[in-house]
Amino acid sequence: MPDDLPSVPAAQVPDDAVLVDVREDDEWAAGHAPGAVHIPLGDLPARVGELPEGDVHVVCRSGGRSARATAWLQQNGVDAVDVAGGMGAWYEAGRPMTSEQGQEPRVL
């Protein structure tokens, strides 16, 4: 990963930020940020056109996949910022979460 990869702690992600979650389907279903866009990391190259204009904040479970996605997006002309610590840090910071089946949201 580039040393200068832009990142922000989960607690400091702006409330109105576009959040792209690159985790797998089961992880997403268990718990994610409300309003996040779900594009699994493996699907990102084929679905990059679905990203909204402007800055995107990229999140995964703990930060590895989102760092790779952020680096790839940056190399392909997208203004992307990695969410340091991923959804684990998001949960620990008390940020809002929801789940797909209405159960208590959790991070897988």
Side-chain angles (χ1 to χ4, degrees):
M1 287 313 115
D3 290 334
D4 59 346
L5 188 68
S7 68
V8 64
Q12 295 177 13
V13 173
D15 291 338
D16 62 349
V18 174
L19 193 65
V20 177
D21 191 322
V22 296
R23 297 176 300 149
E24 296 300 319
D25 292 341
D26 60 329
E27 295 172 290
W28 168 265
H32 57 272
V37 177
H38 180 224
I39 303 177
L41 180 60
D43 296 346
L44 191 57
R47 295 179 57 193
V48 69
E50 295 176 29
L51 295 175
E53 295 290 321
D55 293 347
V56 296
H57 288 70
V58 186
V59 68
C60 67
R61 181 179 55 84
S62 60
R65 288 173 283 180
S66 62
R68 289 195 307 273
T70 299
W72 185 86
L73 289 166
Q74 288 278 330
Q75 291 170 355
N76 286 278
V78 177
D79 291 324
V81 178
D82 181 42
V83 177
M87 287 303 295
W90 185 273
Y91 176 80
E92 291 297 321
R95 301 298 300 262
M97 290 180 62
T98 189
S99 68
E100 289 298 289
Q101 285 81 32
Q103 76 271 19
E104 184 69 27
R106 58 194 173 105
V107 178
L108 292 183

